[in-house]
Amino acid sequence: MVKDVKKHNPSKTYRIIALLLGGLLTCSLLTFGWLNHQEKQLMAQREDTVEFTGNIEADEVMASFKVPGKILQFMVDEGDEVKKGQVIAQLETDELKLKVSQAQAGIEAARAQLIKAENAVGLQSGVTSSQVEEARAAVERAQANLDVWTATWTRIQELYDHGAVSAQEKDKVEAEYKGAQGQLAQAQALLAKAESGQIQVSLSEDDVAAARAGLALAQARYDEAEVYLNNATLKAPMDGIVTLRPMETGETVGAGTPVLKITDLKNTFVKVYVPESKIGRIQLGQKCRVTTQSYPGKPFAGSVTWINPAGEFATQKAISDQYEQDIRSFEVKVNVPNADLHLKTGMTATVTFLAGD
């Protein structure tokens, strides 16, 4: 029995291969077209993207006492959150309180001295004024009396020279004349004494002025002692987190020695330096995305709050070509809210600015 064997048809095989090759070519062309499209989109996106790297920063303050002293206690420790005005540390105050008490006693003593001086002026002024007025009136009366006896004495002398009056009458008038002179001299002496009393009043008024100045000085010393006492209590200068406490309770510190570092970690920022070729694409208030190596899948929202109007260092220096120019850089500050405290100062951060954001 002879087996029926189908003959192989080469043309059919070629057609199948051609179809397969055509399909592969079509797939290749489609894939190439799609990749080319994606590459163009990526290039377009890159052209629209401005991206720079900086570090996470935050405002920080080194809190310190304004007066020297021994640290009595800390009310906060590293990692604690504080509010502006919150008491965070205290110096020993026994010596400062003693100075306040001494200054208060100085005020009382100065006030008593002022009252004494004012009373003295009041008494002397009233007495002296009346004495001066009386003495001046007495001088005027004595002068008028002397004028009368001077005229009388002159006439008596003329009459005596002509023999019209006796020597006894002349002597009597002369005695009255000399008595009037003595009365005037006495009245003038009393007036001088009264006027010297007025000078004493002026001196007493100077004493009052000095006493007032002494009281003002005592008050200033008291105010100074109070300020020193108040400055022995350290308050937080701003809201933030205590990130460093280099001193310990019981240590003696000088005025201005840092005892606590407070950092505003809830309001961090990144500073980047943008070349002048791209600075025109960044505007105040522009939104951006901030990414870190610690949170690669978690972008943080930021916004531009500062663009330095003055260029800083050159990112590219001209060497030999006369047509080349230095490419300056401009500082740009991007605020990044950090309410959850994920961001830490010093972290490397990439800031991405997108056109239209």
Side-chain angles (χ1 to χ4, degrees), residues 269-285:
F269 57 88
V270 182
K271 288 182 180 179
V272 295
Y273 292 89
V274 181
E276 59 183 291
S277 58
K278 295 184 179 181
I279 194 64
R281 299 166 65 180
I282 297 176
Q283 306 295 327
L284 285 175

Side-chain angles (χ1 to χ4, degrees), residues 147-162:
D147 292 342
V148 171
W149 285 109
T150 298
T152 302
W153 170 240
T154 301
R155 290 196 301 272
I156 287 296
Q157 282 185 315
E158 292 178 354
L159 293 172
Y160 178 77
D161 291 341
H162 291 85

Side-chain angles (χ1 to χ4, degrees), residues 118-322:
E118 288 176 338
N119 291 338
V121 168
L123 292 173
Q124 291 176 355
S125 178
V127 173
T128 301
S129 296
S130 60
Q131 287 178 343
V132 169
E133 291 177 0
E134 291 177 1
R136 284 176 180 168
V139 169
E140 291 176 356
R141 290 193 299 271
Q143 183 65 55
N145 185 51
L146 177 60
D147 292 342
V148 171
W149 285 109
T150 298
T152 302
W153 170 240
T154 301
R155 290 196 301 272
I156 287 296
Q157 282 185 315
E158 292 178 354
L159 293 172
Y160 178 77
D161 291 341
H162 291 85
V165 296
S166 64
Q168 183 178 3
E169 290 178 330
K170 182 180 79 81
D171 292 341
K172 182 180 179 180
V173 172
E174 183 179 4
E176 291 291 344
Y177 168 66
K178 289 183 178 180
Q181 287 181 324
Q183 289 175 356
L184 178 59
Q186 184 179 11
Q188 289 175 335
L190 291 174
L191 176 60
K193 183 178 180 180
E195 289 176 341
S196 67
Q198 280 190 326
I199 295 175
Q200 185 61 42
V201 170
S202 297
L203 293 176
S204 296
E205 289 175 346
D206 292 341
D207 291 341
V208 171
R212 286 175 179 166
L215 178 58
L217 179 60
Q219 183 66 51
R221 288 174 176 169
Y222 174 81
D223 293 341
E224 182 183 25
E226 276 283 327
V227 169
Y228 268 73
L229 179 59
N230 292 335
N231 286 338
T233 299
L234 183 60
K235 297 180 179 180
M238 69 176 190
D239 295 350
I241 307 294
V242 178
T243 53
L244 180 64
R245 199 187 84 177
M247 310 300 291
E248 295 294 336
T249 300
E251 290 191 70
T252 299
V253 297
T257 301
V259 296
L260 289 167
K261 180 195 285 187
I262 299 174
T263 307
D264 185 12
L265 290 176
K266 290 188 176 181
N267 297 284
T268 55
F269 57 88
V270 182
K271 288 182 180 179
V272 295
Y273 292 89
V274 181
E276 59 183 291
S277 58
K278 295 184 179 181
I279 194 64
R281 299 166 65 180
I282 297 176
Q283 306 295 327
L284 285 175
Q286 183 175 351
K287 303 301 181 182
C288 54
R289 291 196 298 272
V290 179
T291 56
T292 63
Q293 295 180 0
S294 300
Y295 303 97
K298 180 180 175 59
F300 297 86
S303 60
V304 178
T305 58
W306 165 251
I307 301 175
N308 195 334
E312 299 190 20
F313 58 86
T315 57
Q316 178 178 334
K317 298 286 288 184
I319 300 176
S320 59
D321 192 334
Q322 62 176 330

Side-chain angles (χ1 to χ4, degrees), residues 1 52 96 174 236 284 313 326:
M1 182 176 182
F52 297 96
L96 296 175
E174 183 179 4
L284 285 175
F313 58 86
D326 292 348

